[in-house]
Amino acid sequence: MVSCEDDSCPWSVRASCCKGDNVWKIAKCKGPHTCDKIQNAHDGRMIDSAFLAYVLERYIREDPAYKIKNLRHVALANLKHEVSHYKVWDAKQKAVAAIYGDFKESYAELLRFLAGLKDASPGTKYKLVVDDNYEQGTCTFKSVFWAFRPYILGFKHCRPVISIDATHLYGKYKGNLMIAIATDANNKIYPLAFAVVESESTETWGWFLACIRRYVTDRRHLCVISDRHPGIQALFRDTNQHCLQAPMTEHRYCLRHLCSNVNTRWKNETLKNLVWRAASATQERKFNATFDLIENVNRDAYQYLKDVPKEKWALTFDKGYCYGAMTTNVSECFNGVLKGARSLPITAMVKYTWFKLNSYFDDRRNKSIEQLNSGKKWCQYALDIFMRNKTKAEHQRVTRLSAQQQAYQVDTPHNPGTTGHGDHTHGVNLLQRTCTCQKWKLYKIPCSHVIAVCIRYRHDAEQYIDPCYSVDALFRSYALVFPALKDRLSWPDPNETRKVLPNPRLIREKGRPVSTRIRNEMDESGGRPRTTP
């Protein structure tokens, strides 16, 4: 018998189960049900997380990144009941487990899946780190690194610049997803390596970068751009980390984060813009002039920036290692692409990156082949910069200083519309591939002064564009094909015979999760765009 909990409401239903056929039949029904409680039901006891998982499964299958607040609206629209945040969160975990496998069992399957990846694509790299358990035959997951063979080999044809970042996982177990992103010849994101760790620290960042150096690339002067996480800073200050010291590795700070830190600390938009302008300057005299303005605006901010090594954040002191890249925007952008994967069980997350990157790789390969077949030599990114510089070069005056040394003087016209108002003199040496404006050295694309010399003496200015921007380099970056994965029954047995278990300390607590993200003005403004020459 079921009746309304409100004593003043007459509604009730009596039913009984018939013997033999196990069919429930309603014997008596009193009504109608007219009380207000059914109209304003909140988190009904009959709507448990298992039932909610069944209702919400198709929405989560379409998009694993579906937000809890949106799923609550879906539940309200479908069931006419308001459901608590935690109950929907718990239902989402059960729906994800039903679709992608159980969270706990996913850790046990991870090593076999990684071995299956490597078996299908030899050259794919992974490393699993576990802790010993007291329970015999088991071990506890600590961290995992993976990088796919097509991207490892294709990176040889990209600029030696990577951006690193970390973001939180949203699933049943807490942790961080670390990513390393490069850029291809057309300045598009090029995912390189991933890792799941318990938390961000000097130890975990050191392990991730060591894996990149060991399994992904050994190129000299690899430029790593990051935020100013204390663990990352400590790593690059440690002189015992030989692979992270020059000339093997150059470290740069994300300018967007640096400007945001300044603005958060001193709440001065003018000061923030001056920091951006100083960092973006390509000539030391322009940097010094802007740096003096910073001192006049805020002496404390000036001292704060003075204590930061200039080559870490100012383009004019970079020596061309970062190819003009000054932010971690590419890695943060790809964090958004992977948002759906961050709430999945760990094996499903690795599988998600495999298929997502395969789709991306195939699309870029087809586009690069189209450009090759059309006869294009340079990627659009480099051509756009080159053509802008060529337009400026048309009004510049060239004087030859030495035909043998290919040395020239270039005078720019007065231009009140620019920051420096024009009317400057620059020295160009084609033999040494230098220009005193430094843009050629920093961006590896001829500046307007070099192009002006080439126009005046009928040289081909395009020959001075770095080959890393060519369509051929773009194609070679995506030339390899992702192979089909073998059936799971054909995956080889891994070397680790113990069962991998998740760390019970990392299981997410009940209730609405407390955000640990330190929000700042970047969350509202989106930061400043990266400047181009």
Side-chain angles (χ1 to χ4, degrees):
M1 180 178 176
V2 180
S3 62
C4 181
E5 62 181 9
D6 189 343
D7 295 336
S8 63
C9 179
W11 180 86
S12 67
V13 173
R14 185 187 297 274
S16 61
C17 182
C18 300
K19 294 182 179 180
D21 53 6
N22 291 326
V23 175
W24 285 84
K25 293 184 178 180
I26 295 177
K28 185 182 291 187
C29 179
K30 291 183 180 180
H33 201 345
T34 57
C35 70
D36 291 337
K37 290 196 175 184
I38 194 169
Q39 306 297 329
N40 299 315
H42 179 79
D43 213 2
R45 287 173 293 178
M46 298 293 289
I47 306 177
D48 61 8
S49 58
F51 176 72
L52 271 177
Y54 172 78
V55 173
L56 302 175
E57 182 175 320
R58 69 184 182 93
Y59 299 96
I60 297 169
R61 189 182 294 274
E62 292 175 1
D63 182 10
Y66 228 114
K67 293 183 178 179
I68 301 299
K69 67 176 182 179
N70 294 335
L71 290 174
R72 292 183 70 190
H73 290 311
V74 170
L76 179 62
N78 282 271
L79 306 174
K80 310 303 180 188
H81 274 56
E82 290 187 9
V83 188
S84 68
H85 181 280
Y86 173 70
K87 188 175 284 188
V88 175
W89 180 87
D90 193 36
K92 181 179 179 181
Q93 305 312 307
K94 291 179 179 178
V96 168
I99 299 169
Y100 299 100
D102 180 75
F103 276 88
K104 186 175 181 180
E105 291 302 317
S106 185
Y107 284 90
E109 189 183 39
L110 176 62
L111 198 51
R112 282 198 71 236
F113 177 70
L114 290 170
L117 279 181
K118 188 170 185 178
D119 184 54
S121 177
T124 290
K125 302 294 184 180
Y126 70 86
K127 183 175 179 62
L128 178 67
V129 180
V130 296
D131 284 335
D132 293 331
N133 275 355
Y134 291 110
E135 184 180 349
Q136 188 175 4
T138 66
C139 56
T140 301
F141 172 86
K142 188 174 182 181
S143 55
V144 63
F145 170 91
W146 71 95
F148 304 129
R149 176 176 180 263
Y151 280 92
I152 293 174
L153 297 182
F155 180 63
K156 296 176 181 179
H157 306 284
C158 298
R159 285 163 274 174
V161 181
I162 62 172
S163 168
I164 60 173
D165 195 21
T167 184
H168 293 287
L169 301 182
Y170 297 147
K172 184 176 181 179
Y173 294 92
K174 293 182 287 186
N176 286 83
L177 174 65
M178 292 181 169
I179 61 174
I181 305 290
T183 50
D184 63 20
N186 201 34
N187 210 43
K188 303 298 183 182
I189 59 175
Y190 193 87
L192 198 57
F194 306 86
V196 171
V197 296
E198 293 183 355
S199 62
E200 286 188 80
S201 65
T202 303
E203 179 187 359
T204 55
W205 274 118
W207 177 78
F208 180 57
L209 290 170
C211 286
I212 290 175
R213 270 312 197 177
R214 180 178 179 182
Y215 299 118
V216 178
T217 181
D218 59 356
R219 296 168 71 175
R220 291 169 63 87
H221 296 299
L222 177 70
C223 183
V224 178
I225 304 175
S226 73
D227 59 22
R228 300 184 66 199
H229 187 278
I232 300 177
Q233 292 190 73
L235 271 177
F236 285 97
R237 284 197 301 264
D238 186 358
T239 55
N240 293 323
Q241 300 284 344
H242 300 297
C243 65
L244 299 181
Q245 302 296 317
M248 290 303 297
T249 307
E250 310 290 340
H251 183 218
R252 301 291 179 262
Y253 293 140
C254 172
L255 176 56
R256 183 165 165 259
H257 283 86
L258 181 67
C259 290
S260 177
N261 291 342
V262 170
N263 193 53
T264 301
R265 190 165 180 174
W266 285 284
K267 307 293 184 184
N268 190 323
E269 187 75 16
T270 301
L271 180 63
K272 170 188 161 185
N273 292 335
L274 284 173
V275 174
W276 189 279
R277 197 169 98 189
S280 304
T282 58
Q283 299 174 50
E284 191 170 350
R285 85 177 154 77
K286 291 183 179 181
F287 172 85
N288 291 334
T290 309
F291 209 47
D292 290 342
L293 290 176
I294 293 174
E295 183 179 16
N296 294 333
V297 172
N298 191 308
R299 178 76 184 179
D300 291 337
Y302 170 83
Q303 190 60 48
Y304 169 79
L305 293 169
K306 194 173 181 181
D307 293 338
V308 182
K310 293 179 182 177
E311 68 276 6
K312 296 271 190 180
W313 63 280
L315 190 60
T316 191
F317 301 101
D318 171 64
K319 300 180 182 178
Y321 295 128
C322 72
Y323 286 69
M326 300 181 67
T327 68
T328 57
N329 285 358
V330 289
S331 54
E332 293 186 17
C333 172
F334 200 70
N335 270 339
V337 175
L338 292 178
K339 193 168 186 179
R342 287 186 274 157
S343 59
L344 301 180
I346 191 164
T347 299
M349 186 192 309
V350 179
K351 189 179 297 185
Y352 183 98
T353 60
W354 169 270
F355 288 107
K356 192 75 175 178
L357 269 60
N358 174 29
S359 174
Y360 182 83
F361 215 73
D362 182 61
D363 177 66
R364 294 295 175 189
R365 185 194 308 109
N366 293 336
K367 289 180 178 178
S368 65
I369 291 174
E370 289 177 6
Q371 294 179 51
L372 279 175
N373 292 338
S374 66
K376 289 188 67 174
K377 185 177 180 181
W378 303 105
C379 289
Q380 196 60 46
Y381 168 76
L383 277 179
D384 288 343
I385 298 174
F386 182 85
M387 295 309 295
R388 286 199 301 269
N389 291 342
K390 188 175 182 180
T391 301
K392 295 178 185 178
E394 294 174 354
H395 307 288
Q396 296 175 0
R397 188 173 67 256
V398 178
T399 304
R400 187 166 65 189
L401 303 179
S402 170
Q404 292 74 28
Q405 297 181 10
Q406 298 186 41
Y408 306 87
Q409 176 179 305
V410 179
D411 297 296
T412 62
H414 179 70
N415 186 353
T418 62
T419 305
H421 306 300
D423 197 17
H424 296 297
T425 298
H426 294 281
V428 173
N429 191 302
L430 297 182
L431 200 61
Q432 299 177 7
R433 296 189 172 228
T434 60
C435 177
T436 53
C437 79
Q438 284 211 102
K439 290 182 180 179
W440 189 11
K441 174 185 178 181
L442 296 173
Y443 295 96
K444 310 297 190 293
I445 298 172
C447 59
S448 61
H449 316 116
V450 173
I451 297 175
V453 170
C454 292
I455 292 174
R456 174 68 175 81
Y457 293 98
R458 300 188 179 184
H459 299 309
D460 179 15
E462 289 187 13
Q463 68 177 305
Y464 297 113
I465 301 177
D466 195 288
C468 71
Y469 296 111
S470 68
V471 174
D472 181 67
L474 181 68
F475 168 72
R476 291 176 182 274
S477 298
Y478 298 103
L480 293 181
V481 176
F482 274 68
L485 293 180
K486 297 179 181 179
D487 183 79
R488 65 187 308 276
L489 298 178
S490 302
W491 296 346
D493 292 326
N495 295 328
E496 178 63 68
T497 57
R498 295 174 298 176
K499 183 178 181 179
V500 180
L501 300 176
N503 190 332
R505 293 187 296 104
L506 296 180
I507 194 166
R508 202 173 294 279
E509 300 86 356
K510 292 185 177 181
R512 184 188 294 270
V514 178
S515 174
T516 57
R517 173 177 172 80
I518 302 175
R519 296 185 64 84
N520 54 34
E521 50 88 29
M522 283 198 302
D523 295 299
E524 301 174 1
S525 66
R528 292 280 299 274
R530 188 182 72 79
T531 56
T532 53

